[in-house]
Amino acid sequence: MLFSSYLVRIQNWCDRTQLPSFARHGRARAPVPTLALAMLTILALSTGLGALPVPKTTTPTLHTVHMVQQWIPMPDGVRLSATLYMPANPKPGEKFPALLEYLPYRKDDATAARDYPIHAWFAARGYVSVRVDIRGFGASEGTPTDREYSEQEQLDGEQVIAWLAAQPWSTGKVGMFGISWGGFNSIQLAMRYPPALKAILAVDATEQLFHDDVHYIDGMMHFDEFELNMDLAPSMTGAPDYSLDEKILGPRFESAPWSLMYFKHQRDGQFWHAPIKPLSEIKIPCFLIGGLLDGYRDSIPRMFEQVKAPVKAIIGPWNHTFPNDAEPGPQIEWRDQALRWWDYWLKNHDTGIMEEPPLSILYARLARSRSPPQNRAGKMARRNWMAPEERSEHNALSLRSTRPLNRPRQTGRPPTPLRSVCRR
């Protein structure tokens, strides 16, 4: 009851100050005072400060990078289009782990400018980073899948992972990563635990397809330019040829719009649960990056509580973006932390990442500043995550604590004012 009253006070304060709706800032939206947000905010306000850790390992020798266009065959004869960002001129016999990003968004035109700085960065540091179009989208062959996160999409994903592990340049170890859709299917493939998949990194993603995803927000049907694009995108054939062949265009035009199917499933149920398994099914390490202003943030506490494999998370005051392109900011680099993660799990290098607290929370300073939000300073709080059964009534997360949030701590330093929960 005490904790609930604080949430009510937070909401009332936001209403009085006419805080702008987060719905204006990105695809995924959610109300401010969710339980997970409150818990994570209290964590940030009640822990010591630190900086993002520095790797134990020295800076690796950078490779030059070359891009290879590749077809990946599926058992039914369909070929998926892949772009491999590869270290050039490897030493004789040198092998590399693979990193997979697997999306319906068109890699050869729509996301090419966005893909290169991510995949080439990892390739320069000793990985084959791979971007694959889902069947029926972009340059990949086949009929579009019948829904998001379909069984076919996941079966194809398992085939892609196995193909990557079997290549002559491969060490046999594969990591999977992505933001939003790529984070969703990274979690979903982790639930299926294909043998070669050793770790994932999911940014702004969730396993809850009805409660969290964009189609129904607070139980209300949502329709925006994303939904429209996903209904229209399959009708465009792959770059750079943009074929007009009926064999290619026909199946794409004849595929049913997803949004019409979603209208038929306006309640939570089997339709929304079919693509996923329990989080407890995940047996491989998970690195999660989330934004306090993103509607998919609530998955992080659930995964800490339910996933039995190692979990690490970074959370910041961001919307639905990578942290280095964060809105509203401050912006931070994330690829260096991802590299430490991959080096540890895919190359067996002791980067020290598993010796650190698994949960880090970045929050913006509230001092008035004329600089853009993304350029303002931030602070990092790091804390060990404890499962519910391990928490005591004296822990900072306890709902039974009787110390008001605005009472000075015993250190003599007052905590950040409560209004910081709702303001940049």
Side-chain angles (χ1 to χ4, degrees), residues 21 25 51 67 72 76 82 133 161 170 173-174 181 191 194 222-223 231 267 315 348:
S21 170
H25 297 293
M67 299 166 61
I72 301 180
D76 60 358
D133 282 342
I161 291 169
S170 177
K173 294 183 178 181
V174 179
W181 193 308
M191 292 171 175
H222 173 76
F223 197 88
D231 285 342
R267 299 289 187 274
I315 302 170
N348 298 320

Side-chain angles (χ1 to χ4, degrees), residues 52-71:
L52 277 176
V54 177
K56 283 185 175 180
T57 53
T58 57
T59 302
T61 302
L62 297 184
H63 298 264
T64 56
V65 177
H66 71 116
M67 299 166 61
V68 176
Q69 299 300 323
Q70 181 73 53
W71 290 111

Side-chain angles (χ1 to χ4, degrees), residues 298-309:
D298 292 359
S299 63
I300 294 178
R302 287 196 299 269
M303 292 186 72
F304 268 116
E305 293 174 352
Q306 299 177 40
V307 174
K308 301 300 188 291

Side-chain angles (χ1 to χ4, degrees), residues 56-188:
K56 283 185 175 180
T57 53
T58 57
T59 302
T61 302
L62 297 184
H63 298 264
T64 56
V65 177
H66 71 116
M67 299 166 61
V68 176
Q69 299 300 323
Q70 181 73 53
W71 290 111
I72 301 180
M74 298 293 105
D76 60 358
V78 168
R79 300 179 301 172
L80 302 189
S81 179
T83 301
L84 279 61
Y85 296 76
M86 305 186 70
N89 303 315
K91 299 175 183 177
E94 187 175 13
K95 296 179 182 293
F96 306 99
L99 303 177
L100 170 63
E101 187 179 27
Y102 178 47
L103 295 171
Y105 312 132
R106 305 166 56 86
K107 66 181 178 62
D108 296 316
D109 48 15
T111 67
R114 168 267 199 200
D115 292 348
Y116 186 86
I118 296 174
H119 291 274
W121 196 93
F122 291 123
R125 289 155 178 83
Y127 291 86
V128 174
S129 198
V130 183
R131 175 69 167 82
V132 176
D133 282 342
I134 289 172
R135 76 161 60 206
F137 289 87
S140 287
E141 297 177 344
T143 302
T145 54
D146 60 356
R147 61 172 296 174
E148 290 180 340
Y149 319 120
S150 65
E151 178 71 8
Q152 185 65 62
E153 175 185 330
Q154 295 183 36
L155 289 172
D156 288 349
E158 291 186 82
Q159 291 293 325
V160 171
I161 291 169
W163 185 90
L164 294 173
Q167 296 310 294
W169 47 258
S170 177
T171 63
K173 294 183 178 181
V174 179
M176 191 170 178
F177 75 97
I179 184 172
S180 196
W181 193 308
F184 276 59
N185 61 24
S186 293
I187 294 172
Q188 291 158 14

Side-chain angles (χ1 to χ4, degrees), residues 240-318:
D241 297 329
Y242 302 101
S243 171
L244 299 179
D245 190 306
E246 174 64 24
K247 293 180 180 179
I248 297 175
L249 278 178
R252 295 185 178 223
F253 271 101
E254 292 171 3
S255 60
W258 289 349
S259 57
L260 296 182
M261 177 175 55
Y262 298 153
F263 272 118
K264 300 176 182 178
H265 299 277
Q266 300 187 26
R267 299 289 187 274
D268 194 6
Q270 179 58 27
F271 174 83
W272 298 104
H273 291 268
I276 60 174
K277 298 182 180 181
L279 286 173
S280 58
E281 293 286 312
I282 295 179
K283 297 179 173 61
I284 62 173
C286 302
F287 190 162
L288 313 171
I289 299 177
L292 291 174
L293 306 186
D294 179 52
Y296 299 158
R297 62 179 174 264
D298 292 359
S299 63
I300 294 178
R302 287 196 299 269
M303 292 186 72
F304 268 116
E305 293 174 352
Q306 299 177 40
V307 174
K308 301 300 188 291
V311 177
K312 180 178 176 62
I314 297 175
I315 302 170
W318 313 309

Side-chain angles (χ1 to χ4, degrees), residues 49-51 317 329-332 361-366 373-381:
L49 299 179
Q331 297 175 353
I332 67 166
I361 302 178
L362 181 77
Y363 57 98
R365 292 175 179 168
L366 300 179
Q374 63 268 28
N375 297 330
R376 295 178 188 171
K379 296 181 179 181
M380 177 65 69

